[in-house]
Amino acid sequence: MEERNTETTGAMNPAIIVSANPVAMAEQAAAEFLRLSEQAIKERGVFLACLSGGSTPVLLYDLLADADLYFEKSVFFFGDERDVPPDHPESNYRLACEHLFRSDKGKSSTIYRWHTEMRDREETAFEYETTILRVSNQFNSVIQRDNFPVPRFDLILLGIGEDGHTASLFPHTTALHESQRIAVANFVDRMGIWRYTLTFPAINNARNIIFLAAGEKKAEAVRMAVTGKADISDIPAAGVRPVEGNITWFLDEESAMLISAEVEKFQHQAK
Ligand code: 6PG
């Protein structure tokens, strides 16, 4: 990967890496994921990584499964989960097991998932929040923000929906306004379903955030999120603004097609 552009752009100061296509984008993102894991392990002896669901990360997960990822020194969490059992085809945990954790090394990873099989959704969320804080604290990665404990993940991997949602922070949902809890159950009226998600306090205290987005259908949401001009109720991804951390957007040419001005200024056109 080329020398990272240390300059930043837009209201949220993201770096933007535009690749020719989704495969090249996954390769660039994999290189950064590995760089961050090595940096975290070197500095603190562990890599606390929070994974995304959806289809975009699959190529990345398959690349990482075969790479020198230090699985034994990494601890994995999930930024969100569907309201389904862990073996359900729509489960983000199952997706990660089938791709990122499919190798022998991967199968021995330390993974903390949402216990969606519990009967009470509030209990599932509260238990996951407790686990995140307990494990992060074990690795000196919990800080007090506005007198509330928040985890400090080394990396949070995020996607973005066409409607501007990220994790399971969907437009006009209750979780967008959560300022104390770090993990909640979130009812998505538009879809009539429950989801589980980290909240902005948990996401915005990460050391590093990687957004992945590919395809023309994401271009408008990416534009609204990167320029930081959108109301977060309409475009929740625009609310991802780390307090003390970095954001890097890994895009392909289609998803970046509406932000050429920002990319030109600080572009990092990956070869
Ligand atoms: C999920 C994800 C979600 C995802 C976006 C984009 O549980 O689905 O966490 O936030 O990143 O919906 O999904 P695609 O990658 O499938 O476009």
Side-chain angles (χ1 to χ4, degrees):
M1 182 176 176
E2 292 173 30
E3 187 50 44
R4 275 171 57 78
N5 173 0
T6 53
E7 293 192 64
T8 56
T9 176
M12 302 177 296
N13 304 325
I16 302 173
I17 312 285
V18 180
S19 300
N21 54 59
V23 172
M25 181 187 82
E27 289 166 350
Q28 291 294 327
E32 180 65 357
F33 193 107
L34 291 169
R35 185 186 74 82
L36 291 173
S37 71
E38 288 164 14
Q39 180 184 61
I41 289 165
K42 183 178 170 193
E43 291 175 3
R44 286 178 299 281
V46 70
F47 178 46
L48 302 177
C50 195
L51 301 172
S52 167
S55 56
T56 305
V58 168
L59 281 173
L60 166 64
Y61 290 164
D62 283 334
L63 288 171
L64 292 173
D66 301 330
D68 286 339
L69 183 63
Y70 299 90
F71 283 104
E72 67 278 5
K73 292 189 176 180
S74 302
V75 180
F76 296 95
F77 301 86
F78 291 85
D80 72 321
E81 189 53 277
R82 283 80 181 284
D83 187 21
V84 296
D87 59 353
H88 189 280
E90 288 185 18
S91 162
N92 290 337
Y93 167 73
R94 173 171 158 171
L95 178 93
C97 289
E98 290 174 344
H99 296 277
L100 177 59
F101 303 122
R102 64 166 191 243
S103 66
D104 291 344
K105 277 202 306 180
K107 286 187 176 73
S108 65
S109 299
T110 303
I111 305 165
Y112 293 98
R113 66 174 177 82
W114 300 75
H115 288 149
T116 53
E117 62 276 26
M118 293 169 74
R119 288 182 53 77
D120 181 307
R121 293 188 182 97
E122 288 306 317
E123 261 186 52
T124 294
F126 183 71
E127 187 215 35
Y128 199 58
E129 171 167 317
T130 305
T131 299
I132 289 175
L133 289 172
R134 174 177 56 79
V135 175
S136 302
N137 194 47
Q138 193 182 322
F139 295 106
N140 300 316
S141 285
V142 172
I143 56 174
Q144 292 295 320
R145 189 73 71 193
D146 301 329
N147 296 321
F148 292 97
V150 289
R152 195 140 164 75
F153 291 106
D154 292 302
L155 172 63
I156 295 184
L157 185 61
L158 294 172
I160 185 170
E162 293 173 39
D163 62 356
H165 81 263
T166 191
S168 283
L169 295 168
F170 283 81
H172 310 294
T173 57
T174 308
L176 296 180
H177 311 291
E178 178 55 55
S179 59
Q180 299 176 9
R181 298 286 303 281
I182 60 168
V184 295
N186 190 31
F187 187 70
V188 186
D189 283 296
R190 184 173 56 81
M191 300 193 292
I193 57 166
W194 284 91
R195 285 280 190 97
Y196 295 101
T197 188
L198 295 191
T199 60
F200 284 125
I203 293 170
N204 284 332
N205 279 286
R207 294 183 174 98
N208 298 280
I209 292 168
I210 285 179
F211 266 107
L212 282 182
E216 185 178 355
K217 290 180 178 176
K218 301 291 179 76
E220 176 57 15
V222 166
R223 183 183 72 83
M224 298 290 276
V226 165
T227 53
K229 293 177 183 141
D231 182 319
I232 69 165
S233 290
D234 299 324
I235 303 287
V240 176
R241 299 192 182 100
V243 179
E244 294 173 81
N246 304 303
I247 296 186
T248 306
W249 285 82
F250 287 90
L251 306 173
D252 69 352
E253 287 178 356
E254 289 187 357
S255 63
M257 65 194 293
L258 300 179
I259 56 167
S260 52
E262 282 79 3
V263 175
E264 280 306 311
K265 197 173 173 186
F266 294 96
Q267 100 168 16
H268 218 47
Q269 191 74 29
K271 294 292 172 262

